[in-house]
Structures are given as C-alpha cells and as structure tokens.
Amino acid sequence: VPATNYIYTPLNQLKGGTIVNVYGVVKFFKPPYLSKGTDYCSVVTIVDQTNVKLTCLLFSGNYEALPIIYKNGDIVRFHRLKIQVYKKETQGITSSGFASLTFEGTLGAPIIPRTSSKYFNFTTEDHKMVETLRVWASTHMSPSWTLLKLCDVQPMQYFDLTCQLLGKAEVDGASFLLKVWDGTRTPFPSWRVLIQDLVLEGDLSHIHRLQNLTIDILVYDNHVHVARSLKVGSFLRIYSLHTKLQSMNSENQTMLSLEFHLHGGTSYGRGIRVLPESNSDVDQLKSKDLESANLTANQHSDVICQSEPDDSFPNGILLCPPCWRSVARSRLTAASAS
C-alpha cells in the first residue's frame, strides 16, 4: 500500500488513554486461545531499548488476526494499540483497526513480515527498526532456554518442543493423544498410550518404523479442540510441555518411563501452534534431524508396556513404561466405541 509516515512511541513514553504504534521484542506470550466469550485472546509482553516492559491483551474474533508469534525473541509491530492503566500498571489492548506484523528476531534471518492481512505498509525505515531491535536483543536478551530437543529433556521439566505430528487419536472426552518426533531420542524410554490401531489417525507403518524416536503426548481440556484440528504431517510448536518420570517396583526391579503432558489452561504460555514449512526452525528440523533419523530409527529397541519386559539397564532397572492408567482409559474408550 502507499507509504504512510507512522510514528512509533518508545515504551517508556506511553500514556494512558492514548492510541499508539509500537515496536518491541517478545519477552513472553500466550498463543491465541478461546476466551470466555466468543473472541480469541492472546497475551504478549514486549520490551524495547528503553528496557520498559508492556503487557498487551489482544482480542479478535479471527484467530489469524492476532500476532503470529512462534517464540520469545520474535519482533512485533503493533498499530493502533490502545494504552490504559489498570491497577497502576500500564497495559496495551486492541482498539478499532488494530493490526500487527511479526518478524523473526534472529540476526541475519530474512526480514519477512508475518501477518494475515493482504495489505500492509512496510518501508525501509521499518526494515531498519527490525534490524536495530535484533541487534539490541542479541546483547540484552538471553536466548529462549525453554526450547529443547527431545534428546535434551529431563524429568520434571517444562519446555517448548518443535516437532512433527505423526499420528493422533481421541483418548477420552478430556484428553487427546499426539504422536510426534523431532529426529532425536529421549534419554529415557517414552511412555506409551495403548490404543487400538484403528482409532489412530496416521500412517501406521511409518509410525511403527519410527517408534523408537516417537513420543506420546497427552493434551488436556482446552487444548483438545486444537489437537483435533491438527493435520498429520504438520510441524508444531508445543509450549510448556511437562515431563514426568514414572516408576513402578515389581519383583525387586524398577520400571521407568518418561511421560509427556500438556496440561489444561494457558498459564505459563501453554498451548500449541502450527509452524509453516518456511519457518527456520522447521527447516533445521527437516534438514538435520528428520532426514538423518532413518539411520537411527532401527538401531535401538524400545519397550512398549507389556506383561514381560525383555530389555533392562544394569542394577535391575527395567525400561518399560508404566502406562496402566492410560491402558485402562483406552480400553474403556475402545469398549464404548464397539
């Protein structure tokens, strides 16, 4: 669209009751989720060179109209953001005509705006603003420590995972199963949710071939409707995924497995977002992890929950997932379906 001379307000100069345009680096965010009404909501906290933080509460009836943020460190541009003071804290909220652009925050990455709008203004001055924020953030903000690969996860940890969806299945009304991989192998065997193959959506032969590299994630409550809509084969970022190491003693042996849960609610940014194939993290996933995974997929045996586990560590530690709760839940599901 024809260039317009927008004025951008530094975050340390915001005043309640005004409508402003701002740039900032994402320090915290919640992926869009359904609010108590009919709108989608996203919470985004940004910071700029003034070291002032601003938390923004953004609402829209259209999921795609909210900022397309993939990780902390992304750079956002908000137009027509309303500033208000609530409980002595300055915050931003959407106003009529609100619009946003999002950019990858990595130094050297292509500056490609993310937006659902067909028309937007982006000038050489905007380009300079993004570059300047990238340079500033590279020395003033630490990289996202929450973004991990499966080979690096540990028990009792919350982290963000970039992965590909291989299969999905309904478990019960309050939980849903996602089978994913990222090309690396977990330090502990992954807990398995036993369900009938007919219930699982996905390429069963492909899943079986890669079973030693896949993990089962149970998502709960408000995330179930998002999980149902996901397409097998798509690339995902799952935020604030929780790991738990479960053990069960049997005949002087300890069985261990790593469970993965996406709990209900949106606290700590919990949620799921689909990543486009053009995303740099997806590029890295495809080129380095997924293509080489075939070489290691069949090199290790993985133990699914069974009556007589046959693989063990020294000192009597058996590697068998204690998934009795999910087995019972899945059998109930299968029984009700039949």
Side-chain angles (χ1 to χ4, degrees), residues 51-65:
N51 278 318
V52 170
K53 292 189 299 182
L54 176 70
T55 296
C56 304
L57 309 177
L58 310 175
F59 295 89
S60 175
N62 178 9
Y63 179 96
E64 298 298 335

Side-chain angles (χ1 to χ4, degrees), residues 79-121:
H79 278 180
R80 293 171 289 278
L81 181 73
K82 184 177 180 180
I83 304 301
Q84 66 180 18
V85 178
Y86 178 71
K87 293 184 178 179
K88 298 183 180 181
E89 292 287 335
T90 301
Q91 61 181 211
I93 60 172
T94 42
S95 69
S96 177
F98 172 83
S100 70
L101 296 181
T102 310
F103 307 87
E104 188 164 346
T106 306
L107 278 172
I111 296 182
I112 302 173
R114 300 178 208 146
T115 178
S116 61
S117 300
K118 294 182 179 179
Y119 308 103
F120 58 89
N121 183 289

Side-chain angles (χ1 to χ4, degrees), residues 4 6 11 31 54 88 120 150 156 199 212 222 250-251 267 280 296 305 319 321 324:
T4 303
Y6 287 98
L11 299 186
L54 176 70
K88 298 183 180 181
F120 58 89
L150 289 177
M156 299 307 294
V199 178
N212 301 322
N222 56 302
S250 175
E251 299 178 357
S267 298
S280 62
T296 59
C305 191
L319 303 184
W324 313 122

Side-chain angles (χ1 to χ4, degrees), residues 154-156 188-189 243-247 255-259 322:
Q154 295 296 320
M156 299 307 294
F188 295 92
T243 56
K244 294 194 298 183
L245 190 64
Q246 291 287 5
S247 64
M255 303 176 187
L256 298 173
S257 73
L258 200 59
E259 296 185 1

Side-chain angles (χ1 to χ4, degrees), residues 20 30 68 83 88 121 143 158 176 206 220 249 253 294 322:
V20 299
K30 292 184 180 183
I68 306 172
I83 304 301
K88 298 183 180 181
N121 183 289
Y158 289 90
F176 201 89
H206 187 51
Y220 300 93
N249 294 321
Q253 295 173 326
N294 292 338

